[in-house]
Amino acid sequence: MTTAVTSHADASMARFEAETTRYGSITMLAGLVFSLLGPVYLVFFSGLEITASMIWIAFAAVAATFGVFWLVEPLTYFPILGSAAMYQAFMIGNISNKLLPAAIVAQSSIKAKPGTRRGDLAAVMAIGGAATVHLTSLLIFVGLLGTWLVSMVPTEVIEVARLYILPSLMGAVLVQAIVSMRRLRSTIIAIALALLFQFLIIPAAPKVALFATALVVLLSIVLSWVLRDRKEIHTAVEAD
Amino acid sequence: MTHIRPSMANPASTDIWAVANSPFLWICALGVFAVIFVQTFLYIKAARRAAPHIDMPASELKESFRAGAVASIGPSLAVVLVAIALLALFGTPAVLVRIGLIGSASTETASASLAAISMGTVLGGPEYTQQVFAVAFMAMSLSGGMWMLSTLILTPILKRGGKKLAKTNPAIMALIPAAALLGAFSMLAIAELPKSNVHAITMFISAATMALCLFVAKKLELRWLKEWALGFAIIIAIVSAYFTHTA
């Protein structure tokens, strides 16, 4: 009886994954085309006298700095997001400062663990909710009212928001993640690794800063596994 | 210089908005918005179909959607503020797509700035012409495109790897997402500490506000407070940053 129920659940999750992979990759390709169409039009059809070498040099300058992230970021976020949400996250953008916090809040509010089936569906719904709020507020406050708001909001306020938005967000999100994950060992390992990288390794080898988040993620996974509580882990694999 | 009509493109003109706000760019920007709305709709439909089979009540899906929406109000408004500040440099359509969606303010501004430097000028400088803007916009978009491309290529590969791992070692699959999440946010938060005293104080105020909200929410069983906690923490932290910064 239980095996029949499990395989039924497995089948419907497999279908969910197949559907989201298909919808996700088609919509992402469409988004890619729309996002390139604008600049292509400007460069080739508006008489701005742009040569191919200007584009290549500019692209090379950007690639030299960010090329690593094209690969590292999808690798870093995949274990957290799962395959369905990957196609949402990398098109909607603002992943660490908006989408992941939304997913954590949703999972903790229905008491689902990330990586479980309920957790995956909760993350997809949460990102959907976040996308709806985000697109609407962008369309209204930037698209419609943006040019008017530029003259209304004091530059000091914008400057403070730009400078301090990350610490205002990350402190709270870290606490939320610690509380909702309920994994003391992983928490201690992760914070110790982050402190080690920020205050010992990066000052000694500044180039490591580019990969710091990816390395801390990888080492947190490895050390959490190696140093796991062997009694606790059995109960942690809950049937959801 | 003073032409406002989009057809008046002139490579040497510094009137960026004349090309940056052209109707065609608006259509492309709205196209990206439409694609994301369609994606969201299709995903929610797929989740609704799957939920009953894994014994997840519809109320939990609704709750997740609402929690995600509420939690993103604070971060979204922050993105809006930064986006507004960048309108002068890139015009509305490019800001909507590059800063508002796909990328983020820091990576995209950095990309545009690198592109401008490669053309021997700086963003917003006296030499920041329509031509420089178009090249910067192209470079940002190509870079963003590479992110999407590698997501499209890597996700199916990683999925296969994850499935294999789940079969041979199910216990590790329960541990990986939590450890990855804690690792990512520990590093992102601690990277803010050495930037300045104000950064460090702001981060601790944000963390303390969240801790307090979660504690009160648990003690008094206030579910709404759990959802709004992130918004409160951001507002309280940023207001305190405003005072410590200007003090």
Side-chain angles (χ1 to χ4, degrees), chain A residues 8-9 12 15-16 19-21 23-25 27-28 32 34-39 41-42 46-50 54-55 58-59 62 65-66 69-70 73-75 78-80 83-84 86-88 90-94 96-98 100-102 104 106 108-110 114-115 118 121-122 124-126 128-130 132-135 137-139 141-143 146-147 149-150 156 158 160-161 163-176 181 183 186-187 190-191 194 198 216-217 220-221 224-225 233, chain B residues 9-11 17 24-26 28 32-33 35-37 39-40 42-44 46-47 49-51 53-54 56 60-61 63-65 67-69 71-72 75-76 78-81 84-85 87 92 96 99-104 107 110-111 114-115 118-119 130-131 133-135 137-138 141-143 145-148 150-152 155 158-159 169 171-172 174-192 194 198-199 202-203 206-207 210-211 223 226 230 233-234 237-238 241-242 245:
Chain A
H8 180 60
S12 62
R15 196 182 62 182
F16 172 75
E19 280 175 352
T20 49
T21 303
Y23 298 153
S25 42
T27 46
M28 187 170 243
L32 180 60
F34 272 116
S35 74
L36 288 176
L37 223 51
Y41 161 80
L42 269 194
S46 57
L48 288 174
E49 295 165 25
I50 291 162
M54 287 181 193
I55 301 289
F59 181 63
V62 175
T65 310
F66 290 109
F69 293 104
W70 301 337
E73 278 203 341
L75 290 173
F78 180 83
I80 305 174
S83 81
M86 283 289 279
Y87 298 104
Q88 294 178 291
F90 282 89
M91 185 151 65
I92 301 169
N94 295 292
S96 62
N97 60 347
K98 192 188 69 214
L100 286 180
I104 301 170
S108 80
S109 116
I110 67 158
R118 280 175 67 235
L121 290 194
V124 162
M125 293 302 288
T132 309
V133 164
H134 190 63
L135 294 187
S137 56
L138 276 176
L139 280 174
F141 295 118
V142 182
T147 37
L149 281 172
V150 177
E156 265 172 59
I158 291 180
V160 167
L163 272 174
Y164 301 113
I165 184 60
L166 280 179
S168 310
L169 182 73
M170 290 307 167
V173 175
L174 180 60
V175 169
Q176 172 109 51
M181 294 307 126
R183 284 182 184 272
S186 296
T187 302
I191 291 177
Q198 187 62 48
V216 170
V217 165
S220 295
I221 294 172
S224 294
W225 176 250
I233 204 79
Chain B
N10 171 2
W17 279 17
F24 188 79
L25 296 195
W26 268 103
C28 295
V32 178
F33 274 78
V35 167
I36 296 175
F37 269 122
Q39 186 194 55
T40 305
L42 291 172
Y43 264 56
I44 288 173
R49 263 200 302 272
H53 303 287
I54 61 158
M56 186 174 182
E60 285 191 351
L61 287 184
E63 167 78 23
S64 306
F65 183 89
S72 73
S76 282
V79 172
V80 162
L81 267 181
I84 288 172
L87 283 177
T92 313
L96 282 177
I99 281 93
L101 302 174
I102 303 171
S104 67
T107 52
S111 298
L114 288 166
S118 84
M119 296 191 70
Q130 292 183 357
Q131 191 187 47
F133 161 72
V135 171
F137 187 24
M138 188 79 207
S141 304
L142 282 173
S143 175
M146 294 302 287
W147 250 288
M148 291 163 115
S150 69
T151 303
L152 282 168
T155 305
L158 292 169
K159 196 164 101 179
N169 193 346
I172 203 168
L175 189 141
I176 284 176
L181 197 76
L182 288 165
F185 283 111
S186 297
M187 191 64 234
L188 290 168
I190 283 165
E192 296 299 317
V198 183
H199 280 84
T202 307
M203 201 197 87
S206 158
M210 175 58 92
R223 211 165 180 180
K226 257 173 112 178
L230 186 59
I234 292 173
I238 209 114
Y242 182 83
H245 178 77

Side-chain angles (χ1 to χ4, degrees), chain A residues 11 15-16 39 44 66 89 103 139 152 154 157 174 179-180 193 226 231 234 238:
Chain A
R15 196 182 62 182
F16 172 75
F44 293 103
F66 290 109
L139 280 174
M152 295 297 294
V157 172
L174 180 60
V179 171
S180 55
L193 282 169
V226 173
K231 268 178 288 175
H234 281 288
E238 47 181 339

